[in-house]
Amino acid sequence: MCAHNAATILLSDLGIVRRTVLAGEGSPFDPDEELELEWTLWASLRHCFTSDERAYPGDSREPTEFTEFDAFGLFVSDLCAPKVKRAALDRFAHVYMGCIF
């Protein structure tokens, strides 16, 4: 299920597939609001990609809004097409842990 959701997210990021879903009841959004499918999948999946280590930019040692996990939970084969590998790393290499519903 995780691989399928990740593939759906990547297809959208690559511009191959675009889908929307209704926010629905129990959502903090208007139930009739259309949300991008990849956003709703990522909102539920991103917890699985986080690690205990916070990312620190440069030498400032100030925490960022992203949790960086490098090798934690993510492996992208060198056999993947470069465009697909770059899209996967761009999407999954940093996880924003701000407002999560």
Side-chain angles (χ1 to χ4, degrees):
M1 181 65 97
C2 181
H4 177 74
N5 287 354
T8 301
I9 292 167
L10 284 177
L11 286 171
S12 179
D13 287 351
L14 292 166
I16 296 170
V17 174
R18 289 272 184 222
R19 292 194 176 112
T20 60
V21 294
L22 294 178
E25 296 298 324
S27 167
F29 303 102
D30 178 341
D32 295 325
E33 183 176 349
E34 285 191 359
L35 304 173
E36 294 174 346
L37 177 61
E38 71 274 9
W39 186 87
T40 60
L41 292 173
W42 182 236
S44 64
L45 186 63
R46 65 185 168 169
H47 297 91
C48 301
F49 285 105
T50 60
S51 68
D52 294 334
E53 298 295 320
R54 288 273 177 198
Y56 295 97
D59 295 328
S60 70
R61 303 302 296 165
E62 291 293 322
T64 67
E65 296 176 345
F66 294 86
T67 299
E68 201 173 307
F69 57 85
D70 283 335
F72 184 85
L74 178 67
F75 173 78
V76 182
S77 172
D78 288 335
L79 299 176
C80 281
K83 182 178 179 180
V84 174
K85 184 169 184 166
R86 181 78 257 147
L89 294 174
D90 287 348
R91 170 57 84 154
F92 302 119
H94 292 78
V95 180
Y96 175 68
M97 294 305 289
C99 178
I100 298 175
F101 72 90

